[in-house]
Each structure stands twice: as structure tokens, then as C-alpha cells.
């Protein structure tokens, strides 16, 4: 299998020590992370360099090629997120002081 | 959330917003707040320092240099020197209790060379110092992104207990550690080479004796591309750990650590060891970032890769780099007149940092690179052993890095 095919990762959480090494080595854009300080597992990675798997001290990351029916890539994060009201509408922002 | 002690609020304004309350962020916050700037320090964790991704060895000098009291709250054990081993177990011992016995030791009027600290307590302590100096601190608050504003400031989005908040500041500081996202927000080149990031695993153990020394074990056989270590951890405990470069081995750090414990020249010493905690992380044996600033933004600590490329130690460099950054920001923001927080202005921080610390780190990086350019394994092992022994020698020019 070509490494450049998009992949989805599976993390064996039982062996994961939340060390963050996979995130540290990952060349993805900002925000390709899971709530447990690991690389994201809920969306495909199109870079597929597999450095995260190689660095993992407990070897608990594995991958499979993206298949039909897998979740699509969500919109990019990291640049800007407007504060939202709980109902999801964008909040009116105060004009800057000065 | 209401009340003075829970002031997480939307549309908050401050001079400096610091993302990440590790040694770098909390120290910058303390100095900047003490000088009168309004400082907001946020961290996504619920307990700072946990889960631990650090062995906690730091020199006494590093703490004193940035005014951190030597408090029992975070100190696990005092350290008096080093022992550097080659692959077969011969050692260079650098014990300051013998080398400079009138100055260093346990007795009255004598002092330790350094300490092993508990990062959970240490990071909490540093945040408390920042708070007492006037910084506002919010836990469970994750930085998500930033954008510049037309008035020269910037706006940062944060998530706190599932709520999105917006904070405006003059300068955003990325102190978010090795997994740093803040630098990526600004499009800075933050990528670490796989040949320069060691995957590390460490066990806190019972039933392994130590003697006030940081023990460092070199050799491709035990830790390809990195080294192994045995540190005293207080309460009679020890820490056994190692880091490996994944391109130099087919196995992960865990496999190497098991092998080191079961097969190395220390196997008898480790025979009855009982694992009490398991920790790990990535240690960059890499150069500092070439660009550590952008419009309205600077990076400090691991986020700027202020890490000693020979030892992988980053607490001292995080602390001293944070002080350089705070001094720069305090003078840059002095009087409130200054409204230019562009990259061109903030470059002054990096220049000050290079002059104070950075140029020495680049020298160390070049030394380290020379070691790992040796293709022949025995030659490289000998070179690494010598470099490590020289580095920790009392006459080494690099004592302060
Ligand atoms: C296994 C291991 C052993 C080590 N041993 C030593 C040692 O013995 N001695 C030594 O000097 N150094 C050691 N180091 C290095 C040392 O741990 C680091 O250099 C040091 O912690 C860097 O401090 P920092 O403040 O830059 O970042 P960190 O201590 O990593 O702090 C970053 C903080 O930012 C927070 N954060 C991250 N992202 C966000 C976000 N988006 N929003 C809000 N908060 C965020 C994190 O929760 C964290 O609290 C070791 C490292 C490892 C991995
Ligand atoms: S394969 Fe590469 S880019 Fe994708 S998550 Fe792993 S380290 Fe990141
Ligand atoms: S590198 Fe491995 S152990 Fe560390 S956080 Fe990532 S998945 Fe978990």
C-alpha cells in the first residue's frame, strides 16, 4: 500500500500514556489533535507520513486506508473560531475599545 | 460562573495573553504582571503538569536565577552531581560532594547542585507565584486560534468548560510546549525532524537504590540515538527511563526500556524493581526555531524549541528564556504608548534571546550534530560518551545552559 493514500488512525487507548509525542512530530496543520492530546482519530490524514506511529513510545498507533463511509475532513481549525451562543448562533462582538 | 475568583469571561482585554502554564508561561506571566502589565495565563489542563511528561531534573542555579524559592512543596530530592556510563558500564563520576566538598553537600552551610522536582507540584507552584504577582490565571481553558485586529492588537479564541470565549490582547505568547499549536496558527515553521525527536518512556520505581547523582547511560545497544537514565525521585524511589530516535531502531521506546532493565549491566540492580508510575514524552534533540515571532505573537519554552540539544533538558532554558521575553515585553509595552506589535517589532525579543542564551544553544546543537553524523556505531558511541562527560564536567563552558 502506498503511504500517500489517506489513512485513518486507531489508537489503542489502553497503552497510550498521553505523552503527546505523536502531536509533537506531526506536520499537519493546527488542530489535528484528539481531546486526549494525541493526533486526531476522527478524520482522515492525507499526509500519511506515519511519523506519529514511528515516534509513539508504546507503539500504540495503527492505521488503515480511508474507506467509503468514513467521516469527511471537517472544516479547518486553528485560524479563528467566533464565540458562539449555546444555541449555535454567532455572538455579536463588542466593538474594540480605544 | 460569577464571583471574583471565577472571572472566566468573554470579551476580556489584557496586555499579554499566555497560552500554556508550564515553566515558561508561568514565569513570563509572573515577571510581566509584577512589572505592571495586565496578564492572562491560560492552560487547558485541570491539573498542571499532569500527566507528567518530564523527569524534573533542574539545577539550583536555574531556579535562583529567576527568583523561584527552593520550596519543599515541589522538591523531590537534592542532586549533587552526575555519573555518565558508556555502553559496557564504565563510568565518569562527577560528584560535587567530592570535587568541591566545602561548597556542595548535605551538611550545614552546604548546598545541592540541583534538584529533581515533581512537575505536578512545580508547575502549580509557578502558577501560584504568577497569580500572586497579579496575573489572572484560568485552567481548563484551551487556546483555539487568533486573528489580528485593525487597531494593532489581536483577538484570541479560547474554549473554557465547553464555552467559546474571545480575549483581546496586544501580544499573544505561545508557551504551549512541544505540541505547540500557537506557532502553527501564525504559519511559523515549527516542524521537528523525526531524526531529532526522541520518543521517551520512563518508569518511577521502588526498590532501586540511588545516591544523589543523575545517572546517564549512553550506547546504541541501550538507547539508539538517545540515552538511558536513572534519577533519584525522593521517598526512596528512582526513575528509569530512556529515549530513542525511531529511525535508528525497529523497536519502540518501551521495548528498549524493557531490554535495558532486563539485560543491561544494571540488571541485578533493577532485579526487584516495582513500577509505581509510567510516563513519557517526546524530547527534541534539535535546534531552536529560526523564527520565534510573528505579528502580535511570540513563542517561548518548548514551543520555541528552547531545549538543550545535548541533554534534552528544557526547564532551565524555559525559565531563563521566559525572563528574557518578559523583560522585552515590559520595556516594549512601557508607558502604554507603544501600539506597534508587528513581527518587525517583536523580532527584538528573539535578538535578545539569541544574545542571552540562543547562540550558546546553537553551538550545542552543532556539537550534537557532529556526534550523530558518525555513521560507525562504536565511533559514535565513544563520541557521545565523551561529549556527555565533557558537558557535565565542572570546567565545561556550558554549565549555564
Ligand atoms: C520524558 C521527558 C523527560 C524530560 N526530563 C527533563 C528533565 O529532567 N529536565 C529538564 O530540564 N527538562 C526535561 N524535559 C523537558 C521539559 O519537560 C520541557 O522542556 C519543559 O516542560 C518545557 O516547558 P514549557 O513551559 O515550555 O512547556 P510545558 O511544560 O510543556 O507546558 C506547556 C503547557 O501548555 C499547555 N497547553 C498546550 N496547548 C495548549 C492550548 N492550546 N491551550 C492552553 N494550554 C495549552 C499544556 O497543558 C502545558 O501545561 C523532559 C521532557 C520529556 C518529554
Ligand atoms: S501520518 Fe504524519 S501527518 Fe498524519 S497524523 Fe501521523 S504524523 Fe501527522
Ligand atoms: S505518542 Fe503514543 S503514547 Fe504518546 S500520546 Fe501519542 S498515541 Fe499516546
Amino acid at each position: 500500500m502506498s503511504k500517500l493514500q489517506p489513512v485513518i488512525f486507531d489508537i489503542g487507548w489502553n497503552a497510550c500514556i498521553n505523552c503527546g509525542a505523536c502531536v509533537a512530530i506531526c506536520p499537519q496543520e493546527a488542530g489535528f489533535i484528539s481531546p486526549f492530546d494525541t493526533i486526531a482519530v476522527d478524520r482522515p490524514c492525507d499526509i500519511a507520513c506515519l511519523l506519529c506511529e514511528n515516534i509513539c513510545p508504546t507503539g500504540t498507533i495503527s492505521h488503515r486506508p480511508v474507506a467509503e463511509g468514513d467521516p469527511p475532513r471537517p472544516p479547518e481549525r486553528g485560524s479563528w473560531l467566533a464565540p458562539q451562543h449555546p444555541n449555535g448562533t454567532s455572538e455579536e462582538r463588542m466593538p474594540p475599545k480605544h | 460562573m460569577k464571583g471574583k475568583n471565577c472571572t472566566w469571561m468573554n470579551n476580556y482585554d489584557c496586555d499579554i495573553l499566555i497560552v500554556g502554564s508550564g515553566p515558561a508561561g508561568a514565569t513570563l506571566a509572573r515577571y510581566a504582571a509584577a512589572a505592571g502589565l495586565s496578564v492572562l495565563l491560560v492552560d487547558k489542563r485541570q491539573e498542571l503538569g499532569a500527566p507528567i511528561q518530564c523527569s524534573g531534573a533542574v539545577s539550583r542555579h536555574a531556579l535562583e536565577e529567576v527568583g523561584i524559592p527552593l520550596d519543599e512543596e515541589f522538591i523531590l530530592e537534592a542532586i549533587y552531581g552526575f555519573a555518565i556510563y558508556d555502553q559496557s558500564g564504565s563510568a565518569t563520576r562527577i560528584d560535587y560532594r567530592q570535587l568541591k566538598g566545602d561548597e556542595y553537600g548535605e551538611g550545614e552551610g552546604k548546598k545541592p547542585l540541583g534538584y529533581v522536582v515533581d512537575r505536578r507540584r512545580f508547575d502549580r507552584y509557578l502558577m501560584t507565584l504568577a497569580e500572586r504577582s497579579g496575573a489572572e490565571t484560568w485552567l481548563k481553558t484551551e487556546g483555539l486560534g487568533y486573528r489580528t485586529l485593525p487597531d494593532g492588537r489581536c483577538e484570541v479564541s479560547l474554549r473554557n468548560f465547553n464555552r467559546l470565549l474571545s480575549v483581546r490582547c496586544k501580544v499573544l505568547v505561545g508557551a504551549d510546549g512541544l505540541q505547540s499549536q500557537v506557532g502553527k496558527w501564525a504559519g511559523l515553521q515549527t516542524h521537528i525532524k523525526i531524526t531529532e525527536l526522541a520518543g521517551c518512556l520512563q518508569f518511577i520505581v521502588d526498590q532501586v537504590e540511588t545516591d544523589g547523582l543523575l545517572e546517564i547511560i549512553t550506547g546504541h545497544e541501550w538507547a539508539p540515538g538517545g540515552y538511558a537514565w536513572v534519577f533519584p525521585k525522593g521517598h526512596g524511589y528512582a526513575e528509569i527511563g530512556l529515549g530513542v530516535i525511531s529511525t535508528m531502531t525497529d523497536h519502540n521506546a518501551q521495548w528498549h526500556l524493557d531490554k535495558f532493565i532486563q539485560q543491561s549491566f544494571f540488571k541485578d540492580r533493577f532485579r526487584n524493581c516495582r513500577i509505581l508510575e509510567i510516563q513519557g514524552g517526546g524530547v527534541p534533540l534539535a535546534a531552536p526555531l529560526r523564527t520565534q515571532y510573528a505579528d502580535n505573537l511570540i513563542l517561548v519554552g518548548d514551543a520555541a524549541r528552547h531545549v538543550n540539544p545535548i541533554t534534552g533538558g528544557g526547564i532551565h532554558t524555559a525559565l531563563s528564556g521566559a525572563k528574557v521575553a518578559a523583560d522585552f515585553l515590559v520595556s516594549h509595552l512601557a508607558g502604554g504608548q507603544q501600539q506597534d506589535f508587528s513581527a518587525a517589532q517583536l523580532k527584538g525579543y528573539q535578538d535578545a534571546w539569541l544574545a542571552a542564551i540562543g547562540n550558546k544553544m546553537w553551538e550545542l546543537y552543532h556539537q550534537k550534530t557532529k556526534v550523530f553524523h558518525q555513521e560507525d556505531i562504536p565511533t559514535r558511541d565513544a563520541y557521545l560518551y565523551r561529549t556527555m562527560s565533557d558537558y557535565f564536567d565542572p570546567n565545561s563552558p556550558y554549565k549555564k545552559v
Side-chain angles (χ1 to χ4, degrees), chain B residues 191-193 195-197 283-289 305-310 312 361-362 364-365 368-369:
Chain B
H191 188 55
I192 310 178
K193 291 187 222 154
T195 50
E196 298 195 332
L197 186 68
V283 169
L285 302 168
L289 291 193
R305 229 165 305 127
H306 291 179
V307 181
N308 183 317
I310 293 206
M361 287 179 61
W362 272 103
L364 285 177
Y365 175 69
K368 178 251 159 182
T369 316

Side-chain angles (χ1 to χ4, degrees), chain B residues 84-273:
Chain B
I84 321 298
Y85 296 81
D86 72 7
Q87 182 161 306
S88 65
S90 339
T92 306
R93 279 172 73 94
I94 305 166
D95 189 338
Y96 281 70
R97 288 168 295 198
Q98 279 138 34
L99 293 169
K100 297 185 177 180
D102 44 346
E103 210 182 319
Y104 295 97
E106 285 96 350
E108 185 75 20
K110 297 186 187 180
K111 52 198 181 181
L113 186 66
Y115 302 94
V116 171
V117 302
D118 180 336
R119 282 296 301 271
R120 287 169 291 226
R121 297 293 84 90
F122 185 60
D123 288 23
R124 187 181 72 183
Y125 188 88
L126 296 185
M127 187 177 88
T128 306
L129 292 183
E131 179 126 68
R132 289 179 183 166
S133 297
E136 174 85 13
T137 58
W138 300 353
L139 290 175
K140 270 292 192 201
T141 307
E142 183 184 10
L144 300 175
Y146 93 123
R147 63 175 177 185
T148 53
L149 293 172
D151 69 356
R153 296 184 302 159
C154 70
E155 188 172 23
V156 181
S157 64
L158 303 171
R159 184 161 37 217
N160 159 269
F161 284 103
N162 295 332
R163 293 181 310 156
L164 284 172
L165 305 177
S166 149
V167 168
R168 283 175 302 249
C169 63
K170 293 173 177 167
V171 179
L172 164 65
V173 178
D176 52 338
L178 197 65
Q179 299 97 299
S180 178
Q181 303 289 305
V182 175
K184 289 188 177 184
W185 299 347
L188 294 177
Q189 171 50 263
T190 58
H191 188 55
I192 310 178
K193 291 187 222 154
I194 187 75
T195 50
E196 298 195 332
L197 186 68
C200 301
L201 189 70
Q202 59 199 34
F203 296 150
I204 311 297
V205 298
D206 193 16
Q207 313 271 7
V208 171
E209 300 218 341
T210 56
D211 175 30
L213 300 179
L214 298 179
E215 299 176 60
I216 289 176
I217 300 93
T218 62
H220 188 85
E221 176 76 11
W222 311 124
Y227 61 82
W229 64 85
V230 183
F231 287 180
K233 261 338 232 215
H235 317 289
Y237 305 145
E239 175 180 298
I240 310 174
L242 55 69
V244 299
I245 294 291
S246 67
T247 49
M248 297 175 80
T249 168
D250 294 332
H251 303 282
N252 59 39
Q254 187 179 17
W255 184 91
H256 284 282
L257 187 54
D258 286 343
K259 176 178 161 189
F260 177 63
I261 290 173
Q262 285 164 22
Q263 297 176 25
S264 73
F265 48 85
F266 278 153
K267 62 176 189 282
D268 289 335
R269 182 185 179 193
F270 295 157
R271 190 171 31 225
N272 296 319
C273 82

